[in-house]
Amino acid sequence: MTPTWTRLPDLASRAVGGSVVWANDELFAERENLITPAEAEYRPHTFGHKGQVYDGWETRRRREPGSDSAVIRLGMPGVVRGIVVDTAWFKGNYPPFASVEGTHAVGYPSPEELTDWEPLVPKSPLGGDQKHYFDVDVERRYTHVRLTIHPDGGVARLRVFGTPVPDPNLIVPGALDLAALENGAAIAGCSNDFFGRPGNLISPGNAASMGEGWETARRREEGNEWVEVALAAPGVVHLAELDTTHFKGNAPGWASVRGRDVRKDPDDWFDLVPHTRLQPDTRHRFRVEGPEATHARLDIHPDGGMARMRLFGSLTDAGLDQLTARYDELTR
């Protein structure tokens, strides 16, 4: 059974700004493939000057003792809840063992300057052409992970699922996307995610296709679909953006956004964006007037897809204190 933590964001993905900053060897297949968002593919009879071209990271065959490693800078630093080491399509050339470590670094150090590596996944056996799921139970913020394969071979993908933890020193409290994953927001609930995960709605950057947004199945009964977001911290929303880019024949007809403050009354919802008609393939922006909120709920009518939702606003003093306290706790 697939672990529930795989529904969290992949902190290492290229889609959120991750990068493979170093590897000691990549003779057969490039290290950057490790964090490609798409599943690994196999194209038979695609041979280059170094042999079969693999959609993954592959090192040469070792003829001396040792192991091979790759260092990944997380696109969204945070607490790691689980790691997937995927050896898809590597059948006679996968590593028999792998381990993963993490570290927290301030600023932008070079790979050679990274120190204080801590174990996340101990040296563990691997099989060929399969996904390996490893739970991680370490309450600490990490900025980099290091994958080590023992002794050599190929890994198609490395997924690092977890909870983003922003650096409060890089936050401007008066101008912030309160619904952004990278600022600490999270999906709190969703009615339907048949075609696209709701976490895509609040991911960094713009969606490159419909596949990078949230999309529901076609609704055949009364009612509507919705997704709820726990904001990065308590704040006041001033501008909402509902982006249906790429959704042309399957954009929602209408949408609304409501907020609530669970510290006061969890059942007291108030309008941020009233029931409003939407256009396909369009970025809609709305000025917002409302009280402090800790959560926001997007309702789409009746169904469909949306690329991104942004809720720009300002943190309260309590909200900034909350973010700062969490960062300090996880980096001490």
Side-chain angles (χ1 to χ4, degrees):
M1 183 175 181
T2 304
T4 56
W5 46 254
T6 58
R7 299 191 67 80
L8 295 172
D10 179 2
L11 305 179
S13 174
R14 173 68 75 180
V16 299
S19 175
V20 186
V21 296
W22 176 87
N24 70 302
D25 188 284
E26 52 181 333
L27 187 136
F28 286 116
E30 296 177 350
R31 67 197 193 205
E32 286 81 7
N33 292 328
L34 278 172
I35 58 172
T36 300
E39 295 290 303
E41 297 180 345
Y42 179 72
R43 300 181 181 91
H45 311 301
T46 52
F47 281 85
H49 297 296
K50 299 176 182 179
Q52 171 68 42
V53 178
Y54 276 91
D55 185 6
W57 170 53
E58 186 182 5
T59 68
R60 73 190 73 206
R61 300 188 187 211
R62 276 191 165 271
R63 301 309 185 200
E64 67 285 331
S67 56
D68 294 323
S69 298
V71 174
I72 295 92
R73 176 182 50 74
L74 301 181
M76 295 189 295
V79 178
V80 179
R81 301 301 184 191
I83 289 175
V84 178
V85 179
D86 185 0
T87 58
W89 307 111
F90 289 97
K91 300 178 181 180
N93 50 352
Y94 63 91
F97 300 92
S99 58
V100 183
E101 302 160 287
T103 189
H104 168 78
V106 177
Y108 304 95
S110 68
E112 296 76 19
E113 295 171 315
L114 295 171
T115 59
D116 301 324
W117 292 98
E118 302 170 352
L120 298 178
V121 176
K123 185 176 178 180
S124 303
L126 300 182
D129 193 26
Q130 60 186 281
K131 293 180 179 178
H132 306 79
Y133 298 90
F134 300 102
D135 296 332
V136 177
D137 187 19
V138 183
E139 285 296 318
R140 182 163 174 77
R141 181 185 192 262
Y142 292 104
T143 58
H144 297 73
V145 297
R146 179 168 64 189
L147 168 67
T148 301
I149 54 176
H150 309 272
D152 56 37
V155 173
R157 297 288 188 269
L158 180 72
R159 306 299 191 198
V160 182
F161 294 100
T163 305
V165 178
D167 183 346
N169 297 304
L170 303 178
I171 281 179
V172 179
L176 187 73
D177 181 359
L178 297 169
L181 270 178
E182 60 186 340
N183 292 333
I187 298 298
C190 177
S191 62
N192 186 286
D193 61 353
F194 187 87
F195 288 113
R197 292 186 174 187
N200 292 341
L201 267 180
I202 57 176
S203 291
N206 296 322
S209 67
M210 284 191 296
E212 294 185 7
W214 168 53
E215 186 179 2
T216 73
R218 299 191 185 211
R219 192 174 182 90
R220 302 306 188 188
E221 62 278 347
E222 294 296 320
N224 68 281
E225 308 296 355
W226 57 269
V227 62
E228 184 177 349
V229 176
L231 301 181
V236 178
V237 180
H238 302 300
L239 181 73
E241 181 176 300
L242 304 180
D243 185 359
T244 60
T245 298
H246 304 301
F247 291 92
K248 299 175 181 178
N250 51 353
W254 300 265
S256 61
V257 181
R258 292 179 290 165
R260 63 172 175 156
D261 188 340
V262 297
R263 302 167 302 175
K264 298 177 181 177
D265 185 351
D267 299 319
D268 182 20
W269 290 91
F270 48 84
D271 284 339
L272 294 174
V273 177
H275 188 79
T276 302
R277 185 167 66 105
L278 299 183
Q279 297 296 332
D281 197 26
T282 300
R283 189 172 65 153
H284 310 76
R285 309 187 85 190
F286 307 96
R287 287 298 300 267
V288 174
E289 298 290 339
E292 294 180 17
T294 60
H295 291 69
R297 171 170 158 151
L298 167 68
D299 283 86
I300 59 173
H301 303 270
D303 57 29
M306 190 167 293
R308 294 289 187 268
M309 178 177 73
R310 308 295 189 200
L311 298 177
F312 300 102
S314 55
L315 288 175
T316 63
D317 291 341
L320 181 59
D321 289 344
Q322 177 180 311
L323 286 182
T324 302
R326 177 161 172 74
Y327 178 85
D328 290 344
E329 176 187 359
L330 296 170
T331 57
R332 66 165 58 105

